[in-house]
């Protein structure tokens, strides 16, 4: 045990949140050894905060004036109210920059073990605000722990009958985390607070299996239709304007040949068919011959390119495809 003044300081420091006996001792000895001017600054800061800073008369947030800066801000949405446990939660929500409404600070959470019940919190003031102000939605932003759950449940039971829209923060999974490491309460709440991406239009379909079969049949029919459409038209013996002339010549030659033979319509059908095939064979041979001739002619000509004026690219080898 230390001298009574030192022990008194350690005891007082030990009552601060988050400060255990060892930390209290360490801080007390730091104060003892520190420059007295520095410590005066600290005591002045504590005295000033106690004299000037109080709580906003409307929302309960810390404020140096009777109403806080957020309650005085006319640009904030008066229809939205975010209910939080402590002033530090206001700072946390403000930091997200996603909320443009106003706040209500309860001053704690329901904790029967610590003797904190609804009557110790600023719930009476909250209900009074709901009847006075143009509030249409209430967001319950309690801490995600047992006390926060109890407070949110109590508030929703109390406020839902009033007819106001009440929502709760979706308890999310941490970004960058792994689903398998999430505890069951977090995962359960995240599942409960899931967001709908699409409402879907299949609710009126009674039989999913039949529905599936129908979809398959539709898909098959569509595929068949597509294939039928894609089937190529029978191609000409040879195509391309380059060969049109040759083809025409061959046809003329075949017609001339047929005329020379002196076919008559009175010929027997079998004879007629035989004549037809022979004429066809002859025409085909002539066509082949004409084609070979034209091909030989084309091979003599130099190859034409799309842009014949362009000089060949340096460093490129050009190959004659005819060889
Ligand atoms: Zn305020």
């Amino acid at each position: 045990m230390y001298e009574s003044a030192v022990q008194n300081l350690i005891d007082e420091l030990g009552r601060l949140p988050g400060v255990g006996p060892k930390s209290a001792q360490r801080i007390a000895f730091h104060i003892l050894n520190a420059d007295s001017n520095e410590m005066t600054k600290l005591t002045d800061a504590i005295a000033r905060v106690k004299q000037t800073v109080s709580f906003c008369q409307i929302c309960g947030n810390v404020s140096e004036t009777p109403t806080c800066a957020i309650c005085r801000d006319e640009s904030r949405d008066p229809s939205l109210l975010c209910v939080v446990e402590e002033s530090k939660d206001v700072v946390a929500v403000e930091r997200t920059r996603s909320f443009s409404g106003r706040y209500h600070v309860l001053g704690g959470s329901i904790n029967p073990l610590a003797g904190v019940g609804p009557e110790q919190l600023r719930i009476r003031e909250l209900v009074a605000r709901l009847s006075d102000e143009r509030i249409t939605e209430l967001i319950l932003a309690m801490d995600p722990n047992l006390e926060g759950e109890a407070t949110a449940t109590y508030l929703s039971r109390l406020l839902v009958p009033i007819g106001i829209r009440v929502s709760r923060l979706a308890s999310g999974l941490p970004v960058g985390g792994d689903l398998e490491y999430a505890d069951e309460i977090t995962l359960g709440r995240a599942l409960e607070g899931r967001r709908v991406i699409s409402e879907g239009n299949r609710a009126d379909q009674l039989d999913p299996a039949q529905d599936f079969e129908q979809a398959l049949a539709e898909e098959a029919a569509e595929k068949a239709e597509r294939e039928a459409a894609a089937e190529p038209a029978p191609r000409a013996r040879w195509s391309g304007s380059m060969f049109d002339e040759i083809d025409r010549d061959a046809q003329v030659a075949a017609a001339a040949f047929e005329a020379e033979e002196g076919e008559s319509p009175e010929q027997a059908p079998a004879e007629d068919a035989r004549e037809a095939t022979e004429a066809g064979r002859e025409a085909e041979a002539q066509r082949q011959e004409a084609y070979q001739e034209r091909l030989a002619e084309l091979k003599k000509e130099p190859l034409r390119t799309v842009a014949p004026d362009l000089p060949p690219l340096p460093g490129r080898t050009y190959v004659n495809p005819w060889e």
Side-chain angles (χ1 to χ4, degrees):
M1 288 294 144
Y2 301 98
E3 293 292 317
S4 63
V6 179
Q7 188 58 49
N8 189 30
L9 180 60
I10 294 171
D11 290 347
E12 288 302 320
L13 289 169
R15 280 156 62 175
L16 297 175
V19 180
K22 287 204 166 160
S23 299
Q25 195 175 307
R26 202 159 56 240
I27 297 167
F29 277 96
H30 172 80
I31 292 171
L32 266 180
N33 295 324
D35 184 51
S36 64
N37 279 342
E38 289 295 313
M39 288 307 111
T40 309
K41 278 189 204 166
L42 179 63
T43 51
D44 283 352
I46 294 171
R48 186 165 159 252
V49 98
K50 289 316 287 177
Q51 281 160 13
T52 60
V53 179
S54 60
F55 296 98
C56 171
Q57 288 171 356
I58 300 170
C59 70
N61 193 8
V62 287
S63 173
E64 287 191 34
T65 48
T67 53
C68 73
I70 294 171
C71 286
R72 286 198 311 270
D73 189 348
E74 290 293 322
S75 68
R76 297 194 75 111
D77 189 351
S79 65
L80 275 176
L81 195 67
C82 183
V83 183
V84 295
E85 291 179 15
E86 309 277 357
S87 287
K88 61 181 169 59
D89 301 331
V90 173
V91 178
V93 177
E94 279 297 283
R95 220 182 292 136
T96 66
R97 295 170 187 276
S98 340
F99 181 69
S100 61
R102 296 179 178 178
Y103 294 91
H104 190 85
V105 182
L106 292 174
S109 51
I110 294 172
N111 187 348
L113 288 179
V116 182
E119 59 283 354
Q120 272 82 42
L121 305 175
R122 298 182 70 254
I123 291 174
R124 200 180 303 276
E125 288 86 341
L126 175 64
V127 176
R129 279 184 84 176
L130 291 182
S131 54
D132 286 352
E133 297 178 32
R134 298 161 288 168
I135 295 160
T136 56
E137 183 174 353
L138 213 70
I139 300 165
L140 303 179
M142 280 49 280
D143 285 350
N145 53 29
L146 274 179
E147 292 80 27
E149 287 285 314
T151 311
T153 308
Y154 177 86
L155 284 178
S156 48
R157 285 211 187 120
L158 180 77
L159 301 169
V160 166
I162 295 176
I164 204 160
R165 183 177 170 171
V166 179
S167 57
R168 282 185 70 177
L169 285 194
S171 181
L173 297 162
V175 171
D178 203 323
L179 211 59
E180 67 175 303
Y181 297 130
D183 65 284
E184 57 267 43
I185 296 172
T186 306
L187 201 51
R189 285 280 312 273
L191 206 55
E192 210 177 283
R194 66 191 180 273
R195 291 173 65 176
V196 175
I197 294 164
S198 160
E199 289 295 344
N201 55 0
R202 302 228 139 188
D204 47 2
Q205 304 274 4
L206 291 174
D207 187 356
Q210 192 191 337
D211 199 36
F212 179 68
E213 292 299 329
Q214 197 187 331
L216 279 186
E218 272 172 24
E219 201 173 298
E222 250 175 50
K223 197 182 167 201
E225 209 172 280
R226 252 198 328 273
E227 273 171 10
E231 203 171 307
R235 225 183 301 169
R237 185 81 182 87
W238 45 58
S239 59
S241 59
M242 189 168 84
F243 300 113
D244 279 359
E245 211 180 320
I246 310 166
D247 204 24
R248 213 161 34 241
D249 288 350
Q251 276 171 6
V252 169
F257 174 79
E258 275 167 26
E260 241 173 65
E261 289 284 297
E263 279 170 320
S264 68
E266 291 90 38
Q267 274 176 308
E271 184 78 356
D272 196 24
R274 196 182 55 79
E275 287 289 320
T277 49
E278 251 176 42
R281 228 176 284 132
E282 190 72 23
E284 176 66 28
Q286 285 195 356
R287 214 177 276 145
Q288 285 287 346
E289 204 180 310
Y291 174 73
Q292 291 302 335
E293 271 174 33
R294 182 79 179 119
L295 203 58
E297 251 174 64
L298 283 170
K299 280 183 184 183
K300 283 176 211 156
E301 287 174 19
L303 273 179
R304 276 178 296 179
T305 61
V306 179
D309 295 339
L310 281 177
L313 290 173
R316 280 284 191 92
T317 316
Y318 291 84
V319 180
N320 186 348
W322 299 116
E323 282 153 9

